Amino acid sequence: MDTDIVNMLIHLLVAMAAGGLIGLERSYHGRPAGFRTHTIVCMASSLLMLVTIYQHKWFPGGSSETVRIDPTRLAQGIMTGIGFLGAGVIMRERAAVRGLTTAASIWATSAIGILAGVGMYSVVFMATALTIGALWLFRLGEAHMPAQVYAHHIIRFHRSNMPDESELRQRIESHGFSVAHLSYRLTDDGSIFEYSMNIRTDARTKLEQLAKAHLQEGNVLEFSITPIGD
């Protein structure tokens, strides 16, 4: 078998392995872009870089001066194109934005694929390990770090049986929350009054406590508590 073909295959297999490892972490946590997406992104980036590494294959009978490609410009084009794919996994739900970490992992996977395409295998292995470490180990660290928890909170009442703002604030703050950006809305032909706000606390478990408290309040028609974060 042609030595160049073997080398190309090695480049692509290394890229697929690196992308697959990163994708497994995303799939494990149920993210929209997981194992297959990351594998294909990394392999495709490597494949495109092979265009520059083996450009002499384009015209086997021509001189070495026949084709000239700037590898750095192709790499920049790849990274720009991957940005559109990353944007596709970012989702906005009211005040919450999700998918930023997955978008960043796709972008990093593309960079790793480029390195695999040019044959910098030691850097590929290091970058893959560091990326997985950032996704996996940092997640464990975040779980034990003191941090403020933010959520977008909507709560609805019958207009005839609604608490005033001060009463609602007191009710929510009694569960360890602070309230900000509170707004109002009248819906259903004026029969339903809606409060919308951002709330903050120091423990995620308090979100569940607040939800249980709302379930026991007779005048609450419906509510939603949406954590803000990736």
Side-chain angles (χ1 to χ4, degrees):
M1 183 180 293
D2 190 339
T3 303
D4 285 342
I5 297 299
V6 174
N7 288 334
M8 290 181 194
L9 180 61
I10 293 173
H11 285 239
L12 296 176
L13 290 176
V14 169
M16 290 183 68
L21 288 173
I22 297 172
L24 282 174
E25 193 280 338
R26 294 286 84 193
S27 291
Y28 180 79
H29 291 99
R31 296 302 185 257
F35 175 71
R36 290 184 298 173
T37 301
H38 284 74
T39 301
I40 293 172
V41 165
C42 198
M43 186 270 291
S45 298
S46 176
L47 184 63
L48 289 173
M49 289 307 296
L50 289 178
V51 170
T52 65
I53 301 302
Y54 292 96
Q55 54 185 284
H56 62 276
K57 290 284 189 179
W58 294 17
F59 300 98
S63 67
S64 60
E65 299 297 323
T66 303
V67 180
R68 285 188 177 182
I69 297 178
D70 183 357
T72 60
R73 294 184 64 181
L74 184 57
Q76 291 170 3
I78 294 170
M79 299 303 290
T80 301
I82 292 301
F84 289 97
L85 181 61
V89 302
I90 299 175
M91 298 172 288
R92 183 180 180 89
E93 182 182 352
R94 295 192 178 96
V97 179
R98 303 180 185 279
L100 293 174
T101 302
T102 300
S105 70
I106 291 175
W107 197 67
T109 301
S110 177
I112 292 171
I114 291 172
L115 293 173
V118 298
M120 299 177 65
Y121 299 131
S122 59
V123 184
V124 168
F125 298 142
M126 289 187 291
T128 302
L130 290 172
T131 302
I132 295 175
L135 291 171
W136 185 271
L137 297 178
F138 286 11
R139 176 189 294 273
L140 299 177
E142 283 181 337
H144 297 87
M145 288 174 58
Q148 295 291 306
V149 178
Y150 293 83
H152 185 62
H153 184 26
I154 295 176
I155 186 167
R156 296 185 175 95
F157 305 90
H158 274 300
R159 185 177 181 182
S160 60
N161 192 25
M162 52 169 280
D164 58 29
E165 179 182 336
S166 60
E167 180 183 347
L168 180 65
R169 282 181 177 271
Q170 184 179 5
R171 188 186 296 184
I172 294 174
E173 289 171 357
S174 67
H175 294 283
F177 291 87
S178 60
V179 177
H181 305 107
L182 191 145
S183 61
Y184 322 92
R185 189 164 74 112
L186 204 59
T187 65
D188 293 354
D189 297 327
S191 62
I192 305 297
F193 193 87
E194 174 187 291
Y195 287 104
S196 177
M197 70 203 79
N198 290 335
I199 56 178
R200 182 185 68 188
T201 186
D202 58 359
R204 185 170 289 272
T205 55
K206 291 183 179 179
L207 297 177
E208 181 182 2
Q209 296 171 9
L210 179 62
K212 289 180 178 179
H214 285 331
L215 290 173
Q216 297 173 358
E217 295 164 355
N219 62 341
V220 175
L221 288 180
E222 58 181 285
F223 67 88
S224 67
I225 302 174
T226 308
I228 299 175
D230 185 31

